[in-house]
Amino acid sequence: QVSLVESGGGSVQSGGSLRLSCAASVYTWNYRSYRMGWFRQAPGKEREGIAAIDTDSVTNYADSVKGRFFVSHGKVKNMLYLQMNSLKPEDTAMYYCAADSVVGASLTVRHYIHWGQGTQVTVSS
């Protein structure tokens, strides 16, 4: 079982920036091939994939965040980051980190088996 812990959420005004972090448990993170992704879920809406990266550093972004959000690995491969710039009120949601032991930067929820508990991002106008 892989444990994922998100951090870095908070409240920010429209146009501001936040950086989310996700840490996978070191003792169980022994995947040689994997993908990690960021998902979000607003109240009353389905969870959606917004950014993903795999072992080969292939990235994938939802159109709604392309050019504003940037996903990256840490120097230690069990870390994942999401730099969010030019935030909008519609970016308000609970943000989740997810991982799976398969390559391919998928944005599909069912392609991930490990999930964190989420961190809230609130953007005010």
Side-chain angles (χ1 to χ4, degrees), residues 39-97:
F39 294 76
R40 67 185 182 187
Q41 188 167 18
K45 295 187 177 181
E46 293 187 354
R47 189 170 298 189
E48 62 171 346
I50 56 171
I53 190 169
D54 70 5
T55 323
D56 297 327
S57 295
V58 174
T59 57
N60 191 13
Y61 296 94
D63 289 343
S64 59
V65 305
K66 200 171 293 183
R68 299 188 298 124
F69 291 12
F70 301 94
V71 62
S72 61
H73 292 296
K75 290 183 178 180
V76 179
K77 286 292 187 178
N78 67 314
M79 291 296 299
L80 181 72
Y81 302 102
L82 183 69
Q83 178 66 42
M84 305 187 294
N85 301 323
S86 302
L87 283 161
K88 305 174 182 179
E90 51 264 44
D91 294 318
T92 294
M94 184 69 80
Y95 282 69
Y96 298 90
C97 172

Side-chain angles (χ1 to χ4, degrees), residues 16-36:
S17 298
L18 282 174
R19 188 192 194 208
L20 303 185
S21 300
C22 173
S25 52
V26 174
Y27 298 108
T28 56
W29 189 253
N30 57 2
Y31 296 153
R32 293 187 175 182
S33 298
Y34 63 86
R35 56 180 163 225
M36 296 184 78

